[in-house]
Amino acid sequence: MSEKISISIDGKEIAAEAGANLLQVARDNGIDIPGLCYHRRITPTGACRLCVVKVEGQRGLLMSCTLQVAEGMVVTAFDRELQESRRHTVDYLLAEHNDHDDGTYHDELRILASEYDLLDPAQRKVPNIFRSIGYRVDDTSPVLTYDASKCIKCFRCIKGCDEIQGKNVLSFSERGIVSHIIAGFDIWSESECDGCGECIQLCPTGAIVEKPHRETIKLDQIEKRVKTTCPYCGVGCQIELLVQDGMIVRANGVEGVSPNDGRLCVKGRFGSDYVANRDRLKSPLIKRNGKFEEASWEEALALIASKFSDIKENHGRNALAGYASAKCTNEDNYIFQKFIRIAFGNNNIDYCTRLCHASTVVAMLRSIGDGAGSNSIEDFALTDCLFVTGNNIIETHPVTATYVKQGRAKGMKIIVCDPKWTPLVKYADIWLQPKLGTDVALLNGMIRQIIKDGNTDTNFISERIKGGMEAFEELKELVEKYTPQIVEHITTVPSDIMIRASRMYAEASTAMIATGMGLSQQVTGTHNVFSLINMMLVAGQIGREHCGINPPRGQNNVQGATDVGCSPVNYPGYIPVGDSDNRRRMAALWNVPYEELDAEPGLSTVEIMHAAHRGEVKGLYIMGENPMVTDPDTNHTREALEKLDFLVVQDIFETETTPYADVILPASSYAEKDGTFVNSDRRVLRVRKAVEMPGEAREDWRIIAEIAARMGYSLGSYSDAGEIFDELAQAVPMMRGISWKRIDHQGIQWPCHDPGHPGTSTLFLGKFNTPDGKAVLNPVDYTEQTEKPTAEYPFMLNSGRILYQYHSSTMSRRNKALNDFANEAYVLMNLVDADRLGLRDGDRVRLSNSRGELETILRESTEVAVGELFMPWHFSEAMVNNLTRAELDPYSRIAPFKLSACMVEKV
Amino acid sequence: MHLLVCGGTGCRASESAGIEAKLKSELEKRSLDQSVQVISTGCFGFCEKGPIVKVMPDNTFYTQVTPADAETIVAEHVVKGRRVESLIYTDPSSKEKVEESAKMGFYKKQLRIALRNCGFINPENVDEYIARDGYLALGNIITGMKPQEAIEIMKESGLRGRGGAGFPTGLKWDLTARTEADQKYVVCNADEGDPGAFMDRSILEGDPHSVLEAMAICGYCIGSDKGLIYIRAEYPLAIERLKIALSQAREYGLLGNNIMGTEFSFDIELRYGAGAFVCGEETALIHSMEGLRGEPTLKPPFPSESGYNGKPTNVNNVETLANIPVIYLKGAKWFSSIGTEKSKGTKVFALAGKINNVGLIEVPMGTTLREVIFEIGGGIKDGKKFKSVQTGGPSGGCLTEKHLDTPIDFDNLIAAGSMMGSGGMIVMDEDDCMVSMARYYLEFTVEESCGKCAPCRIGNKRLHELLDHICKGNGKLEDLDRLVNMSNVIKDTSLCGLGQSSPNPVLSTINNFKDEYDAHVTDKKCPAGQCRDLMEYFIIEENCVGCTACARVCPVAAITGERKEPHLINPAICIKCGACMEKCKFDAIIIQ
C-alpha cells in the first residue's frame, strides 16, 4: 500500500495515497473539477485543459489530471481566474463543435456549457465555425457512427481502444483544427475495429454513438437502468441495460466493478436485441398430429407431469433424464437438479459442460482438487508469463483478453499453443503450432525440457506434491523418451521453439495457464490436461499469486450450473453423489426422505443421448439446450431424439431441437429474471430483471416447480430467486458466506465460507483442495488419435467459435449488429491444399465423411496447417457436428469436436 | 592553394556546384588540379552575397560568383596571382573594396564558435575536421575523465540549450546521468522548424562531425551507447553529409565499438522527420521517432527520466552540440568568459527581412540588436526606416526601436517581450504591417498546431480569424481586448511550448504597435499599406490623360472612361491587383 498523505484543496483537508492522481482525488472527495479528456480508466492526456488548478509553490496554471498528489500539497481548484480560464476553454470547445443534440447520448460538454452559462450561443465570445471546417461523418461501421463535428479530440476513444481494449484501431488524422479520428487507415468498416464500443462508452460528447436503436432512443425517456450480468460468455461482464418503452435499447459496461470495470465486447454491447425478437416463444406448444399447437400452461404442465410420471412408473426412474442449461441462472439450475433428483429420482442430469470443459474439470479435480480457475481476471494483466493453449481467448473471452493485452503492454510474455492461428498470436512471443491431437507429446516434451534445464521447483515438488520427489521421479522417467527430436517428429513443432517456450514458462517469476476447448474436446482430453498440469506442477507455477491454471468458461453460467449440482456425479458443491453424509444433509435441507436420493451416478450428456438411442431413456426434459447443434454426430442425435417417448424442450426460441419435442415451453431470457451467474473466476454475480417476459413465458424455475408439483413432489416454496439463492448457498459449501445482499454491488469469488469472508481471488495459496491438500502428478503417455486422416478422408477438421456469433447462435444470430459483422459459415483451408485441389477462395464446397456431410464456403487461409481445416460451428446451415463423432474420452465423457477426418470437394 | 566554394544549401541553389565544377575543369585544363584544391565547404553565412568563393591562403573573399566567373578566377587569381576586382565585396557605406572577410562589417563583430568550421573545412572529409582538433575533446574525455568530471565542466561552462528554451545543458546531462537504466539515449534535435531559420542546417552541412563528436561525449557522460539524430527529411544535403560523416567516423573508430580502444562504445542512427513544426518539441520528437504521431505529452516525466522507448533520453539541439567539443578543448572558463551573466557563449542567428546583409551570423551573447542590425546586417534595405525586429520565430515577439540597445541574451529578450528561440531574426521596415505580420505567424501556428490540446488547436485558429478580420477592415475596437484575453488563456493553458508561446507575436505587436491596430479597426486603414482590403486605388483626375492603358490592363474591367478623358476606378469591382498602377506612366494612380 502506498503511503497515506494529506493535501488541501480549496481549504478542505483531504487524505490520499501518495502519487495518486490529483483530479481523481479531488473528484473522489466531492470536488468536481471539470475535465473532458480525463477518465479514470485511461492514462491522463492533458488535452482539454479544463482541469486547471493552482498549486502553492508552483508557477502558473497546472492541469490537475497530470499531477500526482504529494504530502502538504495546497491546491486551489476554484477561483475566479480558474473559472474564467475554464469558461474560455469551454467557449473554445463549443466553437468547433456541432451543438445539435438529439438526446440519444450523454453529453458532458453540454453539461459544462450549461454550468458556464454558454449554452446560449449569444453568451459565447467566439462564434461557431464547425461548418466551415468541413468535418466528416463516418457511418460505415455496422455498430457506430463517428461525427467529427461533435468530436472535441479528447483522446478518450483512442486511449480506450489502445489501453483498455488493446486493439489500437483508432488514431487521429490530419492535425490542428481539422484533425479527426479515423479507424485503421481511414474507413471504419475497413479497419480492424471489432465493434466492442469501448470508444462509444468513453466518448464525452456523442461524437461516437451506437447505431442500433438510434432512431428510437431518447435518454430522457429511459424508464430504468438495470445492472445485470452479460448472457454470453463466461467472463461475466457487468452490464447496464437501458430500458425504454419496455425494451432494451442500450447496454453499457458497468464501471468500477469486477470483472470488467466498464469493458464489454461486441456481443455484450450489441447482443441483447434477441430478447425482444418477435420469434420468442410466447405460449406453451403441444405437438398434435405432428403439428405444434398453442396450449394453456395448465394443459401443458398436466401433460408433462403425467407423461413423466407414466414413464417413471412403467420403465423405472432411470428412463428419465434432463439437460440443464449453462445459459440459465444458478437458481433455475439448482431447482432443475433438485427436480431431477427428487421428481425423477435419479442423477441423469447433465448439460453442455460435458461437451466443453468436462475433461479439464476431471483432470483438475483429480490433480488439484478444484475444477475452477485458480486466478482472477485481473491476474491476466499481472502475471509475468501466460501460456494459452487451445484457447482463442481474444474471440471467445474478449474481455479477459483485454487484461491479457494490458499485461502484454507492460511486458508480460505470451506463449500461444494452437494448431490454428488465433488473433493472440499477434501479441505472442511464441506460437507453438502442434499438429491436431498431439498435445500430450508436446507437453511431455516441455516437461522433459524443464527437468533437463533444471527449471523444476524442487521445494514445491517436495512440499506440495503428493509423493514428493518420488512421484516426480516417476514422471521424469515417463517423459524421458520425449526428446525434442521425437516431439518435433510427432507434433511438427520445431524443437528450438518448443525449448524456448518451456524455458519462458518455467523461468518466469510467475506464470499462468489459460486452457480451452482445443485441449479439452479430444478423446484424450483428460490426458491433455493431466500433462498440462504436470508441467505446471513441476515448474511450481501454481500455489502463488498470479500463478495457476484457468479454463475460461465458454458460457455465462457454465461454472455456476456445475457449482449448484447439474452433474450426474456431483451434488451441489462438487460433492460426489455417493457421499451419503452429504445426501443426508441435502435430504434434510430439501425436506425429502434420504432414501429417495439416488446414490448411483447418472448418465452424462452424450450418454443420455446414447441411452435414448438404445431405448433406455424414454423421457427427456431439456432446459435451454440445443443438442441438435451442440452434440456430436448430429445424425445419431436426431435418431436418439426421435426414439424418445416424450421430449420436453423449454427455451426462449424454437431451435433445431424443438421439432423433436412433444411439448415446447416458453421460458425467460436473462433480461427477464432475477438470479445469479457464476463466471470463470468463480465470481457469483447478480442477474436482474430489466424487462417483462413476452406473452405467457415464465421463469424457468417456476415452470420446473410447477411440473414437480403436478408430479406430486414439492421442490420448496419460494417467492423469488433470492430465496432460492439463499438455499443454494447452504447447499454449496464454498458459497456459504455469500448472500443475495452481499453481491448487490459487486460479485464475490467463492470459496467464501462465512459472511465475513471477502471471497477468494487466488486458489491453492496454502494447500490444494485434494483430501490431503497436496497436488497429484498424473503421468500420461502420448497416444495416437484414433481418428486419422485416410486416403478417403484426408483432412482433419477442427472446429471452434468466432467473436461475433455464439454457440448454436440461437441468441446471437437474432442481433442485426452481430450478423452485420459475420453471418456466414465457412471452412478455412491452407492455400497449399486449396491449390492442390484446384479450389479457390469463395468456392462452395462439400465436406463429408462416413457420419454425414455439409456444404459451405471455402476460405483460403494460412491460419491452418496443411492437411487441417477449421470451421466455426455456430451455423446450423453448415452443421459441423454432422461430421464429428460420439467417441468419448474415457474419464470425462467429452466428445472430440476438434478432430474429424473428412474429405472436401467442390459442389 | 585552396579554393573554398560555399556548398551550403543557399549557395547551392545559386549554382555553387556549377562554380565548383567549372573551377575544377579550368584547373585541369591548366594542369593545376594537383597543386590547387577546390573544396566545397559549409555555409559562410554571408548569404546575401552568395555564392561565396574564398581563396586561401591569401584570404580573398569573392562574392556573388557565377560559374562564368570561374575561368576568370583561375586565369587571373590562380595563374597570375591577381585578384579579380569585380568579384570583391564593396562596403556599401564606404564604397571601398574589402578583400578579406575579417575586415567586412558583416564579419567584424562576429565570433564563430558553433560555426567555427563552417566555410573553412570540407565537411565531407573527416581528416579536415581532425586537422582542426576534431575528436580531440572526445579522446581526452574518454581516456582521461570520469563522466561526472566531464559533466561538471559542462555545468561550469554555463552553456544553455540553443533550441530556444535555454535550459542549462550540464544540468540536463546530469539529470539523465543520474537516472538508472539499462539503456539510455542521446538525441540530437535537428528538427529546425522556424520559418526562415537555417542555423542547424548550416552546421550539419558545414561541420557535421562537431555534432557527432559532441553526441559521443554526451553519451559517455550520461552512460549511453546509442545516439539518434532526428532530422527533417527536407534537409537532403545535411542528411547526405551526416551519412558521409557517420561512415567516416565509424571507419576511423571514432564511433562504434570501443572508441579509440577504450571500453566506451557509441553509435548514431539517423531518424527522419516529416517536417511538422511541433516535432521540434522534445516529447513530440521522441514520439515521432518511436513511430507514433508527433504530439507532445505532459512533462513530467521529462525525457531525462522516460524518453525514447521509455528510457532516459538526453535531447540537445544541433547548435548546442556544436559548441561542446570546443568547450572541452578551450575550457569552461574560456567559454563562460564570453557572453552575459546568465547567457554564456555565442548565438547563431539567421538574419532575414528588410536588411542589407541577409545571412547566418554568430555573435557573442550581449551583442546589441543595433549592432546586429546596423553593423553586421548593414542596416535597412533601400534606406528605409527600421520598424521592428522579430526574434524567436513564431513563438517570439516583435521588438522596436526602443529595444535596439538591448544586449541579446535569453533573459533580456524575454524581459523585452520576445524570446531567443532558435535564432530567427527578421527585420522589418516602415512598409511592413505589424497586424499582417502577426496574422502571418498565427497562420503558421494554426497550420502547425498538432491539435491535441484545445487552447492551441482552437484558440490559435480564433486568434488568426480575428487578425484576419482586422486586416480586412472588419475589426472592432473590442477585438483588441479579445485578442489579448484569448492570447493569455492560450499561453496559460496550452500543453506544450508551441501553444504556450504562439500568441507572442500578437501580444508583442499589440504592445508595441497599438496605434497600427487602432488604425486598422477604427480608421479602417493600414498605415503600412499592406492590407489589401483596406486599400483603395484611386485616379488623380489632374494627372490622368485618358490614355486608356489602365482600363485595358484591368483584369476585371473596373476602370471606365472616355479616351482623352480622366478615368475612374470602381472600388466595388476593383480587386486591388495593382496592374493599373504599374501600367500608368503619368503617376495618376495612387493608393489611399
Side-chain angles (χ1 to χ4, degrees):
Chain A
M1 282 300 278
S2 292
E3 182 200 349
K4 283 276 177 200
I5 52 140
S6 167
I7 65 166
S8 131
I9 304 179
D10 289 343
K12 184 174 167 184
E13 288 300 313
I14 286 170
E17 273 181 27
N21 183 288
L22 174 59
L23 178 57
Q24 191 64 45
V25 167
R27 288 185 178 175
D28 289 347
N29 285 280
I31 299 166
D32 198 12
I33 301 172
L36 293 173
C37 68
Y38 177 80
H39 193 282
R40 178 185 58 81
R41 296 193 291 138
I42 54 177
T43 55
T45 307
C48 78
R49 317 308 279 179
L50 282 164
C51 67
V52 283
V53 293
K54 294 175 190 166
V55 177
E56 214 173 83
Q58 296 194 45
R59 210 153 40 92
L61 305 183
L62 304 164
M63 303 305 137
S64 56
C65 73
T66 70
L67 297 176
Q68 296 182 334
V69 296
E71 177 60 44
M73 206 171 193
V74 178
V75 180
T76 307
F78 288 90
D79 69 12
R80 233 186 99 197
E81 186 192 355
L82 290 166
Q83 285 294 76
E84 195 50 36
S85 161
R86 288 175 189 140
R87 192 171 194 274
H88 256 284
T89 306
V90 173
D91 204 338
Y92 282 156
L93 288 169
L94 289 165
E96 63 169 358
H97 181 258
N98 175 1
D99 274 356
H100 175 73
D101 172 30
D102 61 8
T104 64
Y105 52 85
H106 179 67
D107 192 341
E108 295 178 33
L109 178 60
R110 209 174 163 77
I111 294 169
L112 278 183
S114 159
E115 274 175 27
Y116 287 93
D117 199 19
L118 291 166
L119 259 189
D120 175 6
Q123 298 294 322
R124 301 176 193 170
K125 289 207 174 82
V126 281
N128 195 291
I129 49 164
F130 92 85
R131 277 179 215 286
S132 68
I133 298 169
Y135 284 129
R136 308 185 311 171
V137 173
D138 186 335
D139 200 26
T140 60
S141 159
V143 292
L144 58 84
T145 303
Y146 169 68
D147 181 351
S149 74
K150 298 220 169 127
C151 175
I152 57 159
K153 294 138 195 175
C154 67
F155 283 72
R156 278 201 206 171
C157 55
I158 294 178
K159 290 197 166 185
C161 194
D162 291 358
E163 297 174 6
I164 300 174
Q165 291 280 343
K167 291 171 185 164
N168 306 297
V169 176
L170 304 183
S171 59
F172 274 115
S173 184
E174 309 274 352
R175 66 177 176 230
I177 191 101
V178 292
S179 60
H180 56 272
I181 307 288
I182 55 165
F185 290 112
D186 198 358
I187 315 288
W188 215 291
S189 59
E190 292 170 8
S191 75
E192 288 187 319
C193 170
D194 67 7
C196 73
E198 187 73 52
C199 52
I200 302 171
Q201 182 155 335
L202 287 168
C203 180
T205 58
I208 305 179
V209 286
E210 292 105 332
K211 263 187 186 164
H213 305 289
R214 191 73 204 293
E215 308 302 318
T216 46
I217 190 168
K218 289 275 174 267
L219 281 190
D220 57 1
Q221 288 169 33
I222 294 300
E223 291 140 23
K224 51 183 170 175
R225 293 166 180 264
V226 180
K227 203 174 100 181
T228 187
T229 302
C230 174
Y232 284 97
C233 78
V235 177
C237 290
Q238 297 300 288
I239 56 178
E240 183 193 51
L241 299 177
L242 273 60
V243 178
Q244 179 182 327
D245 292 333
M247 290 226 323
I248 299 166
V249 289
R250 180 173 291 171
N252 291 322
V254 180
E255 303 197 356
V257 296
S258 284
N260 54 315
D261 191 9
R263 313 146 198 240
L264 290 180
C265 77
V266 64
K267 295 190 291 286
R269 196 177 298 278
F270 298 108
S272 282
D273 283 356
Y274 75 89
V275 170
N277 188 283
R278 62 190 152 129
D279 297 342
R280 280 289 298 274
L281 291 168
K282 295 183 191 74
S283 82
L285 301 171
I286 294 175
K287 195 187 262 169
R288 292 192 177 104
N289 305 318
K291 276 180 142 177
F292 285 106
E293 290 174 6
E294 285 192 8
S296 71
W297 272 108
E298 198 44 53
E299 201 180 353
L301 292 171
L303 177 65
I304 293 166
S306 78
K307 285 285 185 184
F308 282 158
S309 298
D310 286 353
I311 291 171
K312 191 175 175 186
E313 198 169 312
N314 298 330
H315 303 282
R317 60 184 186 179
N318 285 328
L320 291 167
Y323 276 2
S325 175
K327 300 245 65 78
C328 290
T329 61
N330 289 322
E331 293 68 22
D332 294 333
N333 280 303
Y334 176 78
I335 294 298
F336 193 83
Q337 62 87 33
K338 198 171 171 182
F339 170 83
I340 299 290
R341 294 193 157 110
I342 293 173
F344 283 2
N346 61 29
N347 291 306
N348 289 341
I349 171 170
D350 208 355
Y351 68 109
C352 69
T353 187
R354 192 62 50 200
L355 307 173
C356 76
H357 266 310
S359 51
T360 317
V361 171
V362 167
M364 286 174 70
L365 281 172
R366 289 198 190 184
S367 307
I368 53 180
D370 245 318
S374 47
N375 303 86
S376 295
I377 193 165
E378 294 86 353
D379 295 341
F380 282 91
L382 299 172
T383 186
D384 296 303
C385 176
L386 183 67
F387 185 76
V388 181
T389 175
N391 183 352
N392 180 4
I393 199 164
I394 288 185
E395 295 198 72
T396 58
H397 299 85
V399 172
T400 305
T402 64
Y403 286 91
V404 175
K405 288 181 267 184
Q406 280 187 326
R408 172 73 202 159
K410 285 186 275 179
M412 178 174 94
K413 300 271 186 243
I414 299 177
I415 305 163
V416 171
C417 177
D418 210 302
K420 177 189 170 287
W421 182 92
T422 73
L424 189 65
V425 172
K426 286 192 286 187
Y427 301 81
D429 296 274
I430 297 174
W431 175 26
L432 303 165
Q433 190 184 16
K435 206 168 92 182
L436 277 168
T438 61
D439 303 271
V440 173
L442 178 68
L443 291 163
N444 279 355
M446 289 178 70
I447 295 171
R448 180 184 179 278
Q449 192 60 42
I450 289 169
I451 297 170
K452 283 271 171 285
D453 288 335
N455 279 330
T456 46
D457 184 340
T458 42
N459 269 346
F460 180 88
I461 294 169
S462 325
E463 285 165 26
R464 301 203 54 185
I465 292 181
K466 187 173 185 166
M469 290 309 286
E470 240 171 79
F472 169 73
E473 286 300 325
E474 192 191 327
L475 173 69
K476 184 178 169 185
E477 201 174 311
L478 181 133
V479 299
E480 185 50 40
K481 57 182 171 288
Y482 295 90
T483 62
Q485 293 69 31
I486 287 175
V487 171
E488 176 167 344
H489 178 73
I490 298 173
T491 64
T492 75
V493 174
S495 54
D496 58 322
I497 299 182
M498 182 277 285
I499 292 171
R500 215 152 56 80
S502 65
R503 289 180 182 156
M504 189 177 281
Y505 173 76
E507 290 171 6
S509 313
T510 58
M512 266 163 58
I513 293 171
T515 176
M517 302 298 95
L519 224 58
S520 68
Q521 289 178 336
Q522 296 185 26
V523 176
T524 55
T526 307
H527 274 192
N528 292 344
V529 182
F530 274 147
S531 188
L532 182 68
I533 294 173
N534 291 343
M535 176 178 82
M536 172 180 74
L537 292 174
V538 298
Q541 295 289 29
I542 189 168
R544 290 175 288 134
E545 297 274 357
H546 313 148
C547 293
I549 177 168
N550 297 274
R553 303 300 193 187
Q555 303 221 41
N556 53 334
N557 199 31
V558 74
Q559 182 68 50
T562 318
D563 291 348
V564 301
C566 293
S567 157
V569 294
N570 288 329
Y571 261 58
Y574 300 91
I575 303 167
V577 293
D579 184 331
S580 48
D581 287 348
N582 182 61
R583 279 205 320 286
R584 222 177 282 282
R585 182 176 74 92
M586 295 309 292
L589 183 67
W590 293 346
N591 197 23
V592 293
Y594 159 71
E595 299 73 26
E596 285 183 16
L597 295 179
D598 191 352
E600 288 301 310
L603 298 171
S604 66
T605 299
V606 180
E607 287 173 332
I608 290 172
M609 233 20 115
H610 282 315
H613 203 267
R614 291 192 302 268
E616 290 162 21
V617 165
K618 295 190 176 296
L620 182 59
Y621 182 4
I622 299 177
M623 170 175 80
E625 290 250 318
N626 189 8
M628 274 301 291
V629 179
T630 58
D631 280 16
D633 196 350
T634 309
N635 289 323
H636 183 271
T637 306
R638 179 182 304 111
E639 288 164 20
L641 292 176
E642 281 169 350
K643 284 186 179 176
L644 287 168
D645 282 356
F646 191 66
L647 173 63
V648 176
V649 178
Q650 178 172 314
D651 213 313
I652 58 173
F653 289 106
E654 290 192 32
T655 67
E656 289 73 7
T657 305
T658 51
Y660 304 92
D662 296 283
V663 180
I664 304 173
L665 299 175
S668 54
S669 78
Y670 87 108
E672 295 147 3
K673 57 186 167 193
D674 288 315
T676 55
F677 292 153
V678 184
N679 76 347
S680 297
D681 50 347
R682 298 167 279 105
R683 224 177 284 263
V684 183
L685 300 158
R686 269 302 308 275
V687 177
R688 291 183 180 83
K689 179 172 174 169
V691 292
E692 294 301 325
M693 283 172 273
E696 294 173 43
R698 290 186 181 178
E699 287 161 279
D700 291 81
W701 66 266
R702 289 191 197 271
I703 303 172
I704 304 161
E706 288 285 338
I707 296 172
R710 280 166 176 76
M711 288 174 73
Y713 300 93
S714 166
L715 298 184
S717 60
Y718 312 100
S719 55
D720 57 35
E723 289 180 16
I724 303 174
F725 181 82
D726 289 339
E727 179 184 314
L728 81 82
Q730 294 314 300
V732 178
M734 72 255 184
M735 293 189 194
R736 200 164 289 158
I738 304 174
S739 65
W740 199 244
K741 207 174 152 201
R742 277 192 76 188
I743 53 172
D744 189 50
H745 172 64
Q746 178 164 238
I748 294 176
Q749 288 170 284
W750 64 253
C752 173
H753 293 288
D754 60 73
H757 192 281
T760 308
S761 58
T762 310
L763 295 181
F764 318 126
L765 289 181
K767 64 183 191 66
F768 291 96
N769 205 20
T770 48
D772 61 359
K774 293 200 171 183
V776 182
L777 287 171
N778 292 282
V780 286
D781 253 321
Y782 166 70
T783 49
E784 272 192 49
Q785 296 288 330
T786 46
E787 181 100 341
K788 293 188 185 73
T790 62
E792 196 182 353
Y793 304 123
F795 286 102
M796 291 308 275
L797 172 67
N798 182 4
S799 67
R801 289 185 273 149
I802 60 170
L803 173 66
Y804 301 103
Q805 294 294 345
Y806 185 76
H807 286 200
S808 68
S809 68
T810 309
M811 290 156 48
S812 60
R813 249 178 144 179
R814 288 186 166 93
N815 298 280
K816 181 177 180 300
L818 300 180
N819 289 347
D820 284 348
F821 275 108
N823 194 23
E824 189 181 60
Y826 56 86
V827 60
L828 297 182
M829 178 185 274
N830 191 286
L831 301 167
V832 174
D833 289 326
D835 260 6
R836 196 165 46 77
L837 297 181
L839 296 170
R840 288 282 158 268
D841 205 80
D843 279 354
R844 198 149 181 89
V845 290
R846 181 183 299 114
L847 274 65
S848 59
N849 61 19
S850 60
R851 296 175 288 270
E853 62 172 48
L854 61 87
E855 280 185 20
T856 188
I857 303 290
L858 182 95
R859 283 200 196 160
E860 292 182 83
S861 167
T862 52
E863 293 185 13
V864 291
V866 173
E868 297 182 359
L869 306 169
F870 175 86
M871 271 189 81
W873 60 272
H874 309 291
F875 304 100
S876 57
E877 63 271 28
M879 215 131 57
V880 177
N881 284 329
N882 285 344
L883 305 176
T884 57
R885 63 196 195 281
E887 183 188 355
L888 301 184
D889 171 42
Y891 303 85
S892 65
R893 315 262 141 214
I894 198 165
F897 294 98
K898 298 292 183 195
L899 210 79
S900 314
C902 67
M903 65 177 289
V904 181
E905 58 196 333
K906 196 167 170 177
V907 177
Chain B
M1 186 183 270
H2 291 82
L3 303 179
L4 308 179
V5 183
C6 178
T9 293
C11 285
R12 277 275 165 103
S14 306
E15 292 185 85
S16 76
I19 300 170
E20 194 187 328
K22 199 74 199 296
L23 284 172
K24 281 182 178 162
S25 69
E26 290 299 326
L27 288 169
E28 224 166 289
K29 260 195 233 165
R30 295 168 175 83
S31 302
L32 289 167
D33 50 317
Q34 295 304 313
S35 51
V36 180
Q37 283 187 31
V38 180
I39 293 166
S40 172
T41 69
C43 180
F44 285 82
F46 202 4
C47 308
E48 179 72 29
K49 297 289 174 193
I52 308 288
V53 174
K54 192 170 180 180
V55 184
M56 295 298 277
D58 58 49
N59 232 347
T60 309
F61 196 86
Y62 290 130
T63 56
Q64 293 178 313
V65 182
T66 65
D69 296 326
E71 196 193 341
T72 325
I73 292 174
V74 174
E76 289 295 309
H77 196 137
V78 178
V79 177
K80 299 179 184 160
R82 291 201 293 243
R83 282 177 170 149
V84 186
E85 289 298 318
S86 62
L87 297 174
I88 288 174
Y89 176 69
T90 310
D91 187 282
S93 44
S94 65
K95 310 288 178 204
E96 275 173 25
K97 293 275 182 191
V98 188
E99 292 99 357
E100 285 181 42
S101 53
K103 292 177 186 158
M104 295 175 184
F106 182 74
Y107 285 106
K108 243 191 269 175
K109 291 228 162 173
Q110 289 199 45
L111 173 63
R112 290 162 80 93
I113 296 175
L115 300 176
R116 63 195 178 281
N117 289 327
C118 288
F120 206 83
I121 62 167
N122 178 355
E124 296 185 6
N125 187 347
V126 64
D127 291 332
E128 296 200 11
Y129 180 68
I130 293 170
R132 298 265 291 165
D133 290 341
Y135 290 105
L136 182 58
L138 175 63
N140 290 344
I141 292 168
I142 62 176
T143 56
M145 260 186 230
K146 292 198 176 99
Q148 200 54 43
E149 288 170 8
I151 291 175
E152 286 311 315
I153 293 174
M154 193 43 54
K155 282 180 165 174
E156 281 166 34
S157 75
L159 178 67
R160 290 169 69 174
R162 301 303 197 232
F167 191 83
T169 306
L171 184 57
K172 204 183 233 185
W173 286 16
D174 201 16
L175 290 172
T176 322
R178 282 171 200 279
T179 314
E180 302 254 333
D182 54 348
Q183 176 72 55
K184 297 181 189 179
Y185 295 97
V186 176
V187 171
C188 167
N189 182 348
D191 190 65
E192 188 172 46
D194 285 5
F198 58 104
M199 30 283 158
D200 292 347
R201 190 192 73 209
S202 296
I203 291 170
L204 292 171
E205 286 175 0
D207 192 17
H209 284 286
S210 67
V211 175
L212 306 188
E213 184 183 0
M215 288 176 73
I217 294 172
C218 175
Y220 178 75
C221 290
I222 66 166
S224 160
D225 63 356
K226 180 99 193 142
L228 298 153
I229 300 177
Y230 184 83
I231 181 165
R232 33 182 57 209
E234 56 266 55
Y235 280 1
L237 186 61
I239 290 171
E240 184 54 34
R241 294 209 168 132
L242 275 172
K243 281 183 178 167
I244 293 167
L246 282 171
S247 81
Q248 289 180 350
R250 285 188 197 118
E251 198 186 313
Y252 277 50
L254 301 167
L255 285 179
N257 289 331
N258 304 99
I259 294 173
M260 301 182 197
T262 64
E263 292 289 292
F264 175 59
S265 300
F266 189 81
D267 209 341
I268 297 172
E269 245 179 65
L270 298 182
R271 293 294 167 87
Y272 307 122
F277 180 60
V278 74
C279 286
E281 198 280 339
E282 56 184 357
T283 60
L285 180 151
I286 287 167
H287 290 132
S288 174
M289 287 203 303
E290 289 169 339
L292 302 172
R293 197 176 151 85
E295 271 172 358
T297 42
L298 313 155
K299 292 192 277 189
F302 290 94
S304 60
E305 301 149 21
S306 172
Y308 182 65
N309 288 341
K311 304 291 182 188
T313 303
N314 184 88
V315 185
N316 285 137
N317 151 278
V318 171
E319 189 189 331
T320 315
L321 291 167
N323 274 295
I324 285 166
V326 75
I327 291 176
Y328 282 106
L329 288 179
K330 295 195 177 179
K333 278 216 174 69
W334 163 78
F335 190 79
S336 62
S337 70
I338 304 163
T340 62
E341 194 197 337
K342 286 184 177 168
S343 303
K344 302 300 184 188
T346 56
K347 179 75 191 89
V348 182
F349 289 100
L351 206 51
K354 305 286 183 60
I355 194 162
N356 279 318
N357 299 335
V358 166
L360 196 68
I361 63 159
E362 183 171 356
V363 291
M365 297 278 188
T367 308
T368 64
L369 283 167
R370 190 183 298 283
E371 287 171 298
V372 170
I373 294 165
F374 289 94
E375 296 183 34
I376 298 170
I380 308 302
K381 259 202 167 88
D382 302 330
K384 298 251 181 177
K385 195 166 171 289
F386 168 82
K387 182 173 194 176
S388 172
V389 56
Q390 210 276 352
T391 70
S395 317
C398 289
L399 302 177
T400 63
E401 188 78 42
K402 67 177 182 216
H403 300 112
L404 279 179
D405 293 311
T406 308
I408 301 169
D409 74 5
F410 286 106
D411 312 290
N412 286 340
L413 286 180
I414 287 173
S418 181
M419 62 191 282
M420 183 80 89
S422 60
M425 196 177 273
I426 297 169
V427 178
M428 282 158 280
D429 70 9
E430 54 195 297
D431 290 342
D432 289 310
C433 164
M434 302 315 285
V435 186
S436 308
M437 211 281 310
R439 181 180 62 169
Y440 164 75
Y441 277 113
L442 260 296
E443 194 180 315
F444 179 83
T445 333
V446 167
E447 182 63 32
E448 293 294 345
S449 165
C450 76
K452 181 170 182 175
C453 73
C456 175
R457 176 180 77 237
I458 311 165
N460 283 319
K461 172 87 180 162
R462 307 328 295 262
L463 277 185
H464 177 258
E465 273 173 9
L466 269 182
L467 290 166
D468 197 45
H469 269 299
I470 294 171
C471 286
K472 287 187 169 145
N474 302 324
K476 294 195 261 324
L477 200 55
E478 59 264 34
D479 285 346
L480 303 187
D481 282 341
R482 284 172 69 194
L483 281 175
V484 173
N485 214 332
M486 283 165 68
S487 293
N488 286 331
V489 174
I490 296 167
K491 276 173 77 99
D492 287 348
T493 58
S494 285
L495 196 162
C496 81
L498 197 160
Q500 285 160 11
S501 58
S502 59
N504 285 350
V506 182
L507 290 174
S508 69
T509 47
I510 291 184
N511 269 340
N512 295 323
F513 301 95
K514 182 80 186 336
D515 49 342
E516 243 182 282
Y517 277 87
D518 287 341
H520 281 75
V521 294
T522 40
D523 310 338
K524 310 290 178 202
K525 294 276 179 240
C526 172
Q530 285 278 309
C531 295
R532 217 200 253 182
D533 291 288
L534 301 181
M535 300 190 284
E536 203 164 291
Y537 283 81
F538 186 74
I539 297 177
I540 304 167
E541 221 180 297
E542 305 84 90
N543 292 7
C544 182
V545 299
C547 73
T548 73
C550 59
R552 276 179 281 134
V553 80
C554 179
V556 290
I559 305 177
T560 50
E562 293 298 316
R563 209 176 158 77
K564 305 222 167 137
E565 293 291 326
H567 280 49
L568 204 66
I569 299 175
N570 182 346
I573 301 173
C574 174
I575 56 165
K576 295 148 188 169
C577 68
C580 53
M581 193 158 113
E582 212 168 286
K583 201 81 185 167
C584 180
K585 291 177 186 150
F586 308 97
D587 290 336
I589 302 178
I590 56 161
I591 304 171
Q592 277 189 334

